[in-house]
């Protein structure tokens, strides 16, 4: 019903560094932003332990703490931060329609997409079975590592995330076995050195997962194979961690926005603009290259400025705020 439809100037979807930074800028520019947090309030950083590379924190900061501070900063300027999951959009007209939790309908002059990316899994039946059972499969060492104190675990992946998570687990667990599918890491040298120099991390190169083993309820091992020799063997483990990258959370936009072959939103180079006027993108939903908190925050700022200028050009009664540029 028409009276149930909420009208907003600026709707921000997602609550990582990109979303909150967009909110800080949009709020200070009198755009009255409404921000929906999605299923993981605070985004991927809430699953990261120590953030040491975000400028302004000489001693580092934990991911969850940084996200609480970003939220507080957005709320200080009266961003309307809400729980809710955007399930559908219609970007076919001038007014951008967005549905929250399949029911609430919002009409937004501008939309800033900051939906980030989600963890990928291997897709093995046994992996999915124990994941759904909550029986020992996880894509977040920081969230779940605690449950495996003094136990033996296996982690898959060879990027910075896998190294960071393996190192984190090594401090809690008796032993961490790391499965690397090639004969080299993808991670930066410093992260690779960190895992190589940790006594209780064993690295198995050219090794892939054949099966996650268990008793039907919980994981008790992992069957692996060497992809050079095809030899298989079982590794006893109570936890199986997957750290093989992420998929952009962009499925609901695919009918309206241009996406690349892996699902990242294509922006007009050097801007946050998408192929739909009034719809902007920031953070990992469009960035498969840098994927850092600080770059996400930077593009969040760009999206708010682009949205503000779009509104100003469209509606002469909307004044571009000078505070944005202070
Ligand atoms: P990446 O895409 O960098 O790495 C994914 C890893 O998973 C690769 O080693 C890949 O292997 C492996 N992999 C993918 N699919 C499979 C599979 N089916 N079976 C086995 N292994 C598989 O993702 P990350 O999440 O590690 O990093 C994403 C970005 O975030 C990077 O830019 C990274 O630098 C950054 N980052 C930075 C951090 C920091 O600075 N503190 C911390 C975490 C991430 P292969 O190499 O063979 O392709």
């Amino acid at each position: 019903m028409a009276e149930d439809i909420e009208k907003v100037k600026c709707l921000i979807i997602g609550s990582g560094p990109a979303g909150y930074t967009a909110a800080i800028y949009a709020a200070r520019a009198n755009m009255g932003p409404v921000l929906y947090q999605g299923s993981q309030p605070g985004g991927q950083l809430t699953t990261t332990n120590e953030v040491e590379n975000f400028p302004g924190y000489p001693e580092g900061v934990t991911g969850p703490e940084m996200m609480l501070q970003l939220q507080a900063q957005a709320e200080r300027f009266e961003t309307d931060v809400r729980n809710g999951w955007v399930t559908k959009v219609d970007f076919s007209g001038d007014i951008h329609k967005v549905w929250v939790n399949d029911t609430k309908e919002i009409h937004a002059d501008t939309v800033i997409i900051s939906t980030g990316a989600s963890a990928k899994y291997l897709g093995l039946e046994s992996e999915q079975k124990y994941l759904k059972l909550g029986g020992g499969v996880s894509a977040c060492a920081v969230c779940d590592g605690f449950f495996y104190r003094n136990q033996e675990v296996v982690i898959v992946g060879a990027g910075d995330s896998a190294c960071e998570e393996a190192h984190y687990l090594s401090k809690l667990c008796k032993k961490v076995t790391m499965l690397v599918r090639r004969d080299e890491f993808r991670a930066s040298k410093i992260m690779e050195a960190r895992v190589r120099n940790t006594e209780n991390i064993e690295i198995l190169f050219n090794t892939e997962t054949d099966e996650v083993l268990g008793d039907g309820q919980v994981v008790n091992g992992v069957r692996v194979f060497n992809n050079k020799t095809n030899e298989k063997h079982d590794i006893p483990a109570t936890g199986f961690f997957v750290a093989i990258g992420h998929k952009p959370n962009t499925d609901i936009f695919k009918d309206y926005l241009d996406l690349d072959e892996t699902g990242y939103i294509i922006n007009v180079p050097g801007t946050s603009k998408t192929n739909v006027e009034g719809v902007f993108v920031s953070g990992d939903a469009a960035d498969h290259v840098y994927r850092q908190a600080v770059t996400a925050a930077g593009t969040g700022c760009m999206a708010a400025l682009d949205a503000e200028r779009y509104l100003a050009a469209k509606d002469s009664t909307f004044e571009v705020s000078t505070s944005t540029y202070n």
Side-chain angles (χ1 to χ4, degrees):
M1 281 186 330
E3 58 268 34
D4 293 329
I5 297 172
E6 184 181 359
K7 292 192 164 76
V8 303
K9 260 200 189 92
C10 178
L11 183 75
I12 299 170
I13 311 173
S15 58
Y20 283 134
T21 306
I24 292 164
Y25 274 76
R28 285 167 56 82
N30 302 327
M31 290 161 73
V34 172
L35 181 150
Y36 277 95
Q37 290 183 308
S39 64
Q40 191 180 9
Q44 283 182 68
L45 272 182
T46 54
T47 66
T48 294
N49 190 20
E50 203 65 19
V51 180
E52 293 179 327
N53 51 11
F54 199 91
Y57 294 98
E59 305 305 325
V61 60
T62 68
E65 173 66 16
M66 191 170 106
M67 295 321 300
L68 286 175
Q69 290 183 358
L70 275 170
Q71 178 174 346
Q73 195 173 352
E75 287 177 330
R76 181 181 150 211
F77 298 109
E78 291 175 10
T79 300
D80 187 348
V81 176
R82 299 179 186 172
N83 278 124
W85 176 248
V86 172
T87 45
K88 194 171 91 166
V89 299
D90 178 351
F91 292 159
S92 59
D94 231 19
I95 291 295
H96 309 105
K97 299 178 182 171
V98 171
W99 284 264
V100 181
N101 299 333
D102 280 327
T103 48
K104 182 175 173 60
E105 185 174 345
I106 296 182
H107 288 185
D109 293 322
T110 62
V111 176
I112 296 176
I113 297 168
S114 319
T115 46
S118 297
K120 280 192 206 161
Y121 289 90
L122 297 175
L124 294 171
E125 208 176 294
S126 51
E127 169 205 58
Q128 290 304 306
K129 173 176 150 187
Y130 290 107
L131 174 68
K132 288 190 184 107
L133 283 170
V137 172
S138 168
C140 178
V142 177
C143 318
D144 301 324
F146 184 77
F147 301 116
Y148 303 93
R149 276 172 305 160
N150 303 318
Q151 298 173 39
E152 298 191 8
V153 298
V154 169
I155 182 164
V156 187
D160 281 333
S161 299
C163 290
E164 190 177 71
E165 303 218 338
H167 189 250
Y168 179 84
L169 290 168
S170 73
K171 291 188 263 173
L172 294 167
C173 304
K174 194 153 77 180
K175 184 178 175 193
V176 179
T177 305
M178 202 169 177
L179 309 182
V180 175
R181 68 178 172 181
R182 289 184 296 141
D183 58 4
E184 60 178 359
F185 278 87
R186 178 176 295 275
S188 55
K189 291 293 167 218
I190 187 170
M191 302 292 266
E192 176 180 344
R194 199 175 284 178
V195 294
R196 281 187 184 271
N197 295 332
T198 304
E199 241 175 51
N200 63 340
I201 299 179
E202 183 182 9
I203 303 161
L204 301 180
F205 289 100
N206 297 118
T207 302
E208 296 181 47
T209 312
D210 189 52
E211 200 77 70
V212 179
L213 308 171
D215 64 3
Q217 289 301 314
V218 294
V219 171
N220 58 23
V222 181
R223 180 161 302 144
V224 300
F225 67 98
N226 181 302
N227 56 28
K228 293 269 186 228
T229 63
N230 278 328
E231 269 174 45
K232 292 186 183 181
H233 75 278
D234 294 353
I235 303 170
T238 49
F240 181 70
F241 288 85
V242 188
I244 61 168
H246 293 83
K247 178 185 178 300
N249 299 317
T250 57
D251 285 354
I252 54 167
F253 308 114
K254 67 179 189 307
D255 291 341
Y256 302 97
L257 300 185
D258 292 340
L259 308 181
D260 74 8
E261 67 286 353
T262 38
Y264 288 93
I265 295 172
I266 298 172
N267 56 304
V268 176
T271 78
S272 68
K273 294 175 188 168
T274 68
N275 57 300
V276 174
E277 287 215 353
V279 177
F280 305 90
V281 63
S282 59
D284 288 10
D287 176 12
H288 54 93
V289 180
Y290 301 105
R291 294 184 285 193
Q292 299 300 301
V294 70
T295 50
T299 55
C301 159
M302 288 165 66
L305 294 183
D306 286 340
E308 185 185 6
R309 287 169 188 159
Y310 167 84
L311 280 178
K314 206 168 156 243
D315 174 4
S316 57
T317 61
F318 179 76
E319 285 184 19
V320 175
S321 138
T322 49
S323 66
T324 316
Y325 305 100
N326 292 336

